[in-house]
Structures are given as structure tokens and as C-alpha cells.
Amino acid sequence: MKAIHIKLWRDLKRLRAQVATIAMVVAIGVAGFVGMFSVHQSLQGSRDAFYRDNRLADVFASVKRAPVHLRERLAALDGVAEVKLDVVFDAQIDLPGVLPPVTGRFIGLDLMRAHAGRQGLNALTLKRGRWPERDGALEALVSDRFAAARGLNPGDTVHAILNGKRERVHLVGTAATPEYVFASQGGAPDDQSFGIWWIDSTRMTQAFDMQGAFNQVSLRLDAGQVAERVLPPVDHLLEPYGAFGATGRDKQLSAKIVSDELAQLQVMGTVLPAIFLAVAMFILNVVLSRQVATQRSQIAALKALGYSDGAIAWHYIQLALAIAGLGVAVGLALSQLIGRGMLGLYDEVFRFNGLAYETSVWLVVVSTLLAAAAAAAGTWNAIRAVVRLKPAQAMQPPAPPAYQPTLVERLGLRRFVSTGAMMVIRNFERRPLRAAFTVTGIALAVALQISGAFWLDAIAHIVDVQFRQVQQGDVLVNFHRPVPMSVVQDLKRLPGVIDAEPYRTEPVRVRLHGRSEDTALTGYRSDAQLMRVVDETRGAVAMPSHGVVLSSLLARALGARVGDRVELQFRLWNQQRVEVPVVDIVHTMFGKLLYMNLDAMNALARDGHGVADAALQVDPLAMDAFWGAVKSAPVINSVFDKAGTLAAFNKTTSRNMGVFSGILTLFAVAMAVGIIYNAARISLSERAWELASLRVLGMTRAEVSVLLLAELGAELLVALPIGALTGWGLASLMMRLMASDSIDFPVVIEPSTYASAALIVLAAGVFSALLVRRQIDRLDLVSVLKVRE
């Protein structure tokens, strides 16, 4: 073994503490990159296989009621390969032992094709139980996620109000379908209060008087055909029957939520690991530069023995690569723990047919190359110093730094500053870049902690706005068909109802400047309080007597401004086309939506003054009696229980976000320890002679430790506000990268989040300082002073 190789092993052993901390930072970056991208790939592969095996459609459209003979005309459209017609209705369900009713979406199922294994598009995968039978009792399958959330099992019996008639439904199995990976009525997915039910298609058409008709169509397109070319002719065919607007798979609600989740995971797997690798590069640069400075005589001896500049430079690159290699090895092992843990959480959410964790070879290769590149970049300054050193020059001790009056001294403030503080100030001014690097690294640790914890603040803000400001009522009810405005009086007579407000939501197509969007128009009373529009900055917005109010997302998509006139096309009932002025634009978080005064909306629609929705305020002490009355009201089609939905939402998000925030907190602590410990060790190596001299002159260990660690404390205090600002910027960047065309979340970070991030990093700094303090206590004064001589 060559001498230079022996030196490499000795350097690794001597620097083992610093090697371990640097490798830890590299490992976290590799683990985050490989783990999160492996989860992304596993989910994406499982999703694609689930969509392919269960034949998810390419185009979806809903219609009020259309004749089944349209099947031939739809199938004849250019690019259409297969057509599936369905009957779909929402209904109120009474679960045994559950007081509030829940909403079920009932879908007709062709039992003959299901039993024969020829379901067609949007096929079901039977998870438990068996397929329903046609004869005898009304049997059903239910979505697997809803069954798990509600503890339902094959053999259970529930009651449902199907088209105003109370029916006993026998649950015979659970199923999953790519059409409803996420089941939602239009808002956030909610498995507690909304489930998908499949019953015999013949019984379905009879129950809802849909013989010879359908209200939902799914299309599979020819290979290579794009959905945008097929959507207009589909809309043209369905428009006379009250169409809601055809959409491609990319905008189908469940598929879009899945895609958004995967996109967010990809962002997380890119941004955060990049921070760790950048920090590792910085630490390597500082440590190896220090190695070169302390090994001048050894470098001179190696050059005198005939080693070339390239061989010596390669020695230091090998040192960096060894550290990076250790980090990669640990990171790959850690990625398995992180990835499999995260995949377990996602498995409960997505419920694909099969979900297996896999790490691609290219991920291992890319992460190794990134770590090696970071290590090589970190050794650049060290390599330059090696090449520049001549043997004769290297044999001499380094020239002492040139001291000059500090800024404090030049300003005449020296008498106000203690000797110890002046030593810290001089070190800052003598090595400003090193201090800046250390401050930046600590600030990034603070920012990383904030970027993991702010999600809880954002979710709390969303809950506050949507559940406490927008929806001040306790319950939302939907009627099977429009009812007179007088229904408000009937609702107020229900047990416990304090107040009731009607509102109306209709599908519309809005056009402006050659752009169009299919969306929903909601009409509220001018004095609405229980369900209203809330602007992020202005608060509650009263509906004007005329004109239309646009959400900021819709206004952005259309390029609309206040004063523009937009064309509204009502998709149902009389299908009126009207022009209305834009009187306001409100900044809301969800959806491309429009709002109007309820009376003005009814006047424009010219289809009467009926409503299909209402918001209720209910006395909490009378909820039992209220729910009993609702279950016996056949006109009520579906129910939204705010308290139950909020409790389920908080339970799910608190667990998932808590795990995610906990992982990032551990990462931030590891990063802070790695940076602070290495900074303190380097400072100790550089100032060992100085500190030993002060000890000989009579200073105690504690006094010497304060002199060394005061600089570290100053860097920590400077880094905290910078880290807070950087954390806000990182959170804003992540929100922007994760944004979609239908969601606009604000960046909300509470003061407590900033404070906790600062305290965690400070604790990491104290821990690192204690480790270095032990090194100071063990300082061998004789050997240190001999080295200087």
C-alpha cells in the first residue's frame, strides 16, 4: 500500500467525528431523494397499472337525462373506441349505529358482465365478499375505503332513500375502481361521509325512473387520440339534454387529485434533498480546505517524494468521495425506511390493486452521482490550494494573518466592547466568507424546519376559512330536485333548527375573450350568513343585486377584470345564454367558480325560483332529534355534517402531516448538528495554539470555551432571522411548485412555528457546543504549543 493511501485511512480515522456528521447530511439528502422518488415511482406505477387493468376511461361527461340510443352516435364520433353509459344518483344512507346520515353515490352495475368478467370501462376490483345477485333482496357493493372508514363488512344491512323511497340494502362485498380512487362530492375527499355504492343496473333504472336513459357517459379513445379533439363533439351531442360539460381524464376529479398528490411528492423529493446536498458540499469545502492548511508540511513531503500535483489532488478527492460514499450507503438504507413508511401511509389513501415499494437502479445511480458531484465541488478550493503549493513554500509555516483595525475600532467604539467580544468581531472580519457560509447553513436548517411545520398552519387556516367563515352553518342538505323557496319554512320546523338559508348551484359554461370554462354558478341571498363567499383579505363579501362575482382563479383563467361582460350558458333546465357584467373578483382558495345574488340568478335562468340546497344552523343539544327527522325526510337527497367531516379531516391530516413534519424536524436537527459541530471543530483546530496560550496565561477552561463558542453563538443568532425569512421563501416556493389551476393556497406561517424552529436549531447548537467543549477540556497544552513551535 502506498504512503498516500495510508495517509488517507489515517485522515479518515482522525476526522471520524467530522466524517460522521458530513456523511449524515449527505445520507439525509440521498435518503430524501431516493425515498421520495421511489414512493413517487411506486405510486405512479401502481396507478398506471390500476388504470390500465381496470380500463379507466379517457373522457367523462354527465348529463341531466339522455336517451340510450345516443350510444351509437357517441360511438361513431371520430377517435372514440368504446362507450359506457351509466345511471348515477346520490342518496341519503342510514348506517346502523350511526346517528348522522351519510351520502352514497349509487351506480348501476351490469351484473351479467360483472359475473362473466367483462365489465368494460371503469371496471371494479372485488376486494372482499362477492358480486351482487339480481333476484331477491337489493344487494350492493360499497367502495373499499368507505367500508374501512365506517367498519362495514359483507353481510351488513343499511337503509337508503332512493328517489324518495326508503330501501333496505344488503352489503355483499367491497370494491375499488379507478374512477373513484378519491371519492368526493366536489370538495375534499371524505371517506367518512361519502361512499360509492354499486347495485344492479336494472334495479337502479327502476328506482330512479331512468328506463331507456342515462345520466353519465364514459369514453375510451383510440390510441394516440387526444381528448381535446373529442370533447367538443361530445358536448354538442349531449347539450340538448342538459350536459354538465365533458372533461378529459386529466380533469376528472379523482384522477386530478391523484395526479396533484404525485406532483407534490415529486416536488418534495427534489427541493429538500437539494438543500442537504448543497449543505454537504459546503461542509466538505470548509473541512478539506482546513485539511490542506494544516497538512502543508505533509504535502511538501509528498511532493518531494515525487508525487505529482494530480496525485495529491486525487488523494483529497478520494477523501471527499469516501465521506460521500459512506453517506450514500447510509442514505440508501435510510431511504428504505422512509420510503416504505411513507408508502404505508399512501396505501391507506390510494387503495390501488397492488402497491409494492421499488427503488430503481437509475435512482441509485443518480443519487450516487449527485453526492459525488457535491463532494467534488466541495473539494475545489482544497485542490486549488494543493496545486498552488510549492515544496519549499509548503515546508514553511503559513504566513500569519494581516490584522487591521476592525469596523468597531475605526468607528471609535472600542471602549464599549469587551476583549472577548472584540476577538469574536475580529474573527468575523478576518474570515467573512466562512462566517457567511456557516450562517447560511444554520439558516437553511431553520428554513427546513419551517418548511416541514408550516403545513399544519396552512391546514389550520384552510379549516378556519372553509369551515368557520365560509360555512357557518352546521349542516348542508341537498334535495333530489329543485323545491320552492318555501322549503326554508319547512326546514325551520325540523327539531333543533335555529335558522335555514337556501342557495342554488348550477353548472354553467362561462366565456370571455374567446376563452371558456365549464364550472358552477352559486346563488346566495344578499343577507346570507350560514353559507357565504369569503375573500382572503376582505372577509365576507355580500352578493350584489346584479352582475356576477368571479373567483380569482376563474378570473385569471379567463383574463377577466371588473367591468367585463361575460357570457353565461346554463347547462340544465332552460339552458339560457345571457351576458352579465363582472362586478367583483374575490380571492378564494378553491375552484374556478362564480357567484350571484340568488334572485338575480333565478331571473337569468328563467326556470322558476326553486332551490336545491340549503344551509342549516342546528342546536347542538337537539342534534339527535334533528338527525332522526332528516332520515325520515324523503325529499332530502344528501347531507353534509360539518362536525363529523371536520373531525375526520383533522384526524387524517394531523396524522399524515405530523409524520411528515416529524421526519423533516429530524432532518433539520441532523443538518444543524452537522453544520454547527463542524464549524466549531474547524474553529478549534485553527485557534488551538491561541487557546492553549490563553490557558497558560491563567484563563480557565470555561473562559477559553466562551471565547471559542461565543463566535458560534453569534453566528446562530444572526442565522435565526435569516432562516425565518428563508423558511418563508422556501414555503412560498414549494406552494408555487405544487399549485394547480383549481387551488390557490396562501402561505400561512404562525409565530409559534418560527419560534419552535428557532428553539430546535438552538438546542442542536447547544448540543454541538457541548461536544466541542469536551474537546477543549481535553486540550493537551504541551503538544499544541510544540506544534506551533
Side-chain angles (χ1 to χ4, degrees):
M1 182 180 290
K2 293 183 178 180
I4 199 167
H5 295 151
I6 297 174
K7 178 181 180 300
L8 174 62
W9 288 110
R10 288 176 176 173
D11 285 345
L12 287 171
K13 182 179 179 180
R14 186 170 57 84
L15 297 171
R16 57 185 177 274
Q18 289 161 281
V19 167
T21 53
I22 299 170
M24 177 175 58
V25 177
V26 175
I28 292 172
V30 170
F33 175 77
V34 175
M36 290 185 181
F37 266 91
S38 294
V39 172
H40 177 270
Q41 282 189 320
S42 300
L43 289 173
Q44 191 173 53
S46 298
R47 179 201 65 178
D48 294 344
F50 189 39
Y51 286 2
R52 181 185 62 252
D53 296 342
N54 292 63
R55 308 184 70 225
L56 179 64
D58 299 305
V59 173
F60 300 83
S62 296
V63 64
K64 179 185 172 186
R65 181 189 178 103
V68 294
H69 66 69
L70 282 180
R71 181 195 301 271
E72 288 73 22
R73 297 179 64 184
L74 288 166
L77 292 176
D78 185 32
V80 174
E82 187 176 353
V83 178
K84 183 173 185 280
L85 306 181
D86 289 308
V87 175
V88 180
F89 282 97
D90 290 352
Q92 184 189 150
I93 296 177
D94 183 6
L95 296 177
V98 179
L99 192 59
V102 297
T103 301
R105 177 158 295 170
F106 281 79
I107 303 174
L109 177 64
D110 189 333
L111 296 184
M112 292 183 62
R113 293 175 64 90
H115 282 283
R118 299 181 292 103
Q119 295 183 64
L121 299 179
N122 309 325
L124 307 184
T125 295
L126 192 64
K127 294 289 189 179
R128 291 188 296 158
R130 61 173 176 83
W131 296 103
E133 299 292 342
R134 174 166 293 178
D135 300 326
L138 180 58
E139 297 182 342
L141 299 175
V142 68
S143 52
D144 188 52
R145 289 184 58 182
F146 180 80
R150 284 297 185 177
L152 294 175
N153 297 290
D156 291 343
T157 300
V158 303
H159 289 87
I161 299 178
L162 305 181
N163 199 21
K165 183 180 179 181
R166 186 177 175 86
E167 297 274 3
R168 181 187 294 270
V169 181
H170 296 269
L171 176 62
V172 297
T174 65
T177 173
E179 188 179 5
Y180 291 101
V181 173
F182 284 101
S184 170
Q185 292 176 276
D190 180 11
D191 297 318
Q192 288 279 343
S193 61
F194 184 68
I196 311 300
W197 297 73
W198 293 271
I199 62 175
D200 175 32
S201 57
T202 302
R203 302 282 291 270
M204 184 76 182
T205 56
Q206 292 173 351
F208 289 94
D209 299 324
M210 290 289 288
Q211 293 87 346
F214 69 93
N215 63 354
Q216 183 170 289
V217 59
S218 305
L219 307 176
R220 180 174 65 85
L221 305 182
D222 292 326
Q225 183 67 259
V226 293
E228 285 70 19
R229 296 182 58 184
V230 179
L231 299 182
V234 171
D235 278 341
H236 179 72
L237 278 179
L238 298 180
E239 188 172 358
Y241 304 98
F244 290 72
T247 61
R249 182 192 292 184
D250 61 328
K251 292 187 178 180
Q252 195 261 351
L253 185 57
S254 174
K256 182 172 177 56
I257 294 174
V258 173
S259 296
D260 288 345
E261 288 279 345
L262 293 178
Q264 292 169 9
L265 185 61
Q266 192 171 26
V267 170
M268 298 296 294
T270 304
V271 175
L272 300 181
I275 295 175
F276 283 102
L277 291 178
V279 170
M281 182 176 67
F282 150 69
I283 299 176
L284 276 170
N285 178 54
V286 175
V287 171
L288 292 178
S289 296
R290 177 57 195 161
Q291 278 292 96
V292 172
T294 57
Q295 296 183 358
R296 293 168 61 92
S297 59
Q298 297 177 35
I299 293 172
L302 289 171
K303 287 190 175 187
L305 291 172
Y307 286 97
S308 65
D309 290 339
I312 299 174
W314 174 239
H315 161 72
Y316 285 101
I317 292 177
Q318 284 179 306
L319 179 62
L321 291 177
I323 298 172
L326 177 61
V328 169
V330 175
L332 291 176
L334 185 60
S335 72
Q336 296 291 312
L337 296 176
I338 295 173
R340 293 181 187 277
M342 291 182 64
L343 197 65
L345 294 176
Y346 278 111
D347 191 25
E348 298 177 14
V349 175
F350 286 103
R351 298 275 182 172
F352 294 139
N353 282 347
L355 196 56
Y357 182 80
E358 296 180 357
T359 299
S360 300
V361 175
W362 78 265
L363 276 176
V364 177
V365 172
V366 170
S367 62
T368 303
L369 291 177
L370 286 175
T379 60
W380 175 245
N381 280 341
I383 294 172
R384 289 177 60 196
V386 167
V387 173
R388 288 177 179 178
L389 281 176
K390 302 299 181 184
Q393 177 188 2
M395 287 292 186
Q396 301 175 359
Y403 287 97
Q404 58 183 358
T406 64
L407 178 62
V408 172
E409 291 169 314
R410 292 197 298 271
L411 293 175
L413 303 176
R414 172 65 183 86
R415 63 182 181 277
F416 300 107
V417 181
S418 66
T419 302
M422 279 304 304
M423 294 176 69
V424 173
I425 293 172
R426 284 171 182 162
N427 277 311
F428 264 111
E429 289 202 15
R430 188 172 63 178
R431 297 185 179 91
L433 288 179
R434 182 174 299 178
F437 280 138
T438 304
V439 168
T440 301
I442 298 172
L444 286 174
V446 177
L448 187 69
Q449 169 65 18
I450 292 171
S451 69
F454 92 99
W455 293 101
L456 297 174
D457 297 337
I459 290 173
H461 176 74
I462 292 167
V463 168
D464 178 68
V465 172
Q466 294 301 121
F467 289 94
R468 297 186 178 92
Q469 298 183 42
V470 172
Q471 184 188 339
Q472 293 194 314
D474 304 305
V475 177
L476 304 181
V477 296
N478 172 262
F479 307 110
H480 182 58
R481 58 179 61 87
V483 296
M485 294 281 286
S486 59
V487 74
V488 172
Q489 303 306 319
D490 297 328
L491 292 172
K492 288 182 177 180
R493 285 193 284 269
L494 292 176
V497 174
I498 299 171
D499 196 8
E501 292 178 357
Y503 64 97
R504 176 180 179 180
T505 300
E506 294 290 340
V508 296
R509 174 168 290 172
V510 56
R511 294 185 177 91
L512 179 67
H513 304 322
R515 305 177 186 176
S516 66
E517 291 284 343
D518 289 321
T519 181
L521 171 64
T522 303
Y524 296 114
R525 293 192 324 197
S526 57
D527 60 345
Q529 293 296 321
L530 303 183
M531 191 71 175
R532 56 187 184 169
V533 179
V534 174
D535 185 278
E536 274 288 302
T537 56
R538 294 182 289 160
V541 177
M543 288 296 100
S545 59
H546 70 288
V548 66
V549 176
L550 271 62
S551 70
S552 56
L553 288 169
L554 180 60
R556 189 184 309 160
L558 295 174
R561 298 180 179 180
V562 173
D564 289 340
R565 295 186 67 84
V566 297
E567 179 188 284
L568 294 181
Q569 178 187 353
F570 288 85
R571 308 305 298 270
L572 300 181
W573 314 110
N574 290 342
Q575 301 179 16
Q576 295 293 314
R577 293 194 183 202
V578 295
E579 276 198 1
V580 291
V582 177
V583 296
D584 198 1
I585 295 175
V586 293
H587 186 274
T588 56
M589 291 184 290
F590 297 99
K592 302 175 183 178
L593 303 173
L594 303 95
Y595 310 96
M596 286 189 74
N597 179 278
L598 179 58
D599 293 333
M601 178 178 172
N602 285 333
L604 291 176
R606 298 182 184 178
D607 54 11
H609 293 274
V611 292
D613 303 279
L616 311 178
Q617 184 180 9
V618 184
D619 183 354
L621 299 178
M623 289 301 293
D624 292 3
F626 169 76
W627 289 128
V630 168
K631 289 180 180 180
S632 62
V635 71
I636 296 178
N637 187 50
S638 61
V639 177
F640 176 84
D641 173 26
K642 184 173 77 172
T645 300
L646 185 57
F649 178 81
N650 285 334
K651 179 182 178 181
T652 302
T653 55
S654 296
R655 184 190 64 171
N656 293 347
M657 287 295 101
V659 170
F660 177 74
S661 180
I663 291 174
L664 282 186
T665 298
L666 292 176
F667 283 5
V669 169
M671 182 170 157
V673 170
I675 294 167
I676 297 169
Y677 178 76
N678 276 282
R681 279 299 304 267
I682 291 167
S683 181
L684 175 61
S685 298
E686 291 174 340
R687 301 175 64 186
W689 187 88
E690 174 187 338
L691 297 177
S693 300
L694 292 174
R695 290 274 287 111
V696 170
L697 291 174
M699 293 187 71
T700 65
R701 292 175 178 174
E703 291 171 331
V704 168
S705 298
V706 168
L707 286 178
L708 177 67
L709 298 178
E711 182 178 347
L712 179 61
E715 290 170 341
L716 265 170
L717 293 178
V718 172
L720 292 180
I722 297 174
L725 184 61
T726 306
W728 180 88
L730 181 58
S732 301
L733 174 63
M734 294 173 64
M735 277 294 195
R736 180 171 298 179
L737 292 174
M738 295 180 182
S740 70
D741 58 356
S742 57
I743 298 177
D744 186 16
F745 290 156
V747 178
V748 178
I749 305 177
E750 296 294 333
S752 58
T753 300
Y754 288 113
S756 63
L759 289 175
I760 288 172
V761 173
L762 280 173
V766 171
F767 175 74
S768 302
L770 291 175
L771 293 178
V772 176
R773 167 66 191 268
R774 292 182 61 192
Q775 301 293 326
I776 298 174
D777 292 343
R778 296 173 180 177
L779 205 61
D780 188 337
L781 304 183
V782 175
S783 94
V784 170
L785 292 175
K786 274 187 177 180
V787 169
R788 186 71 175 194
E789 294 171 355

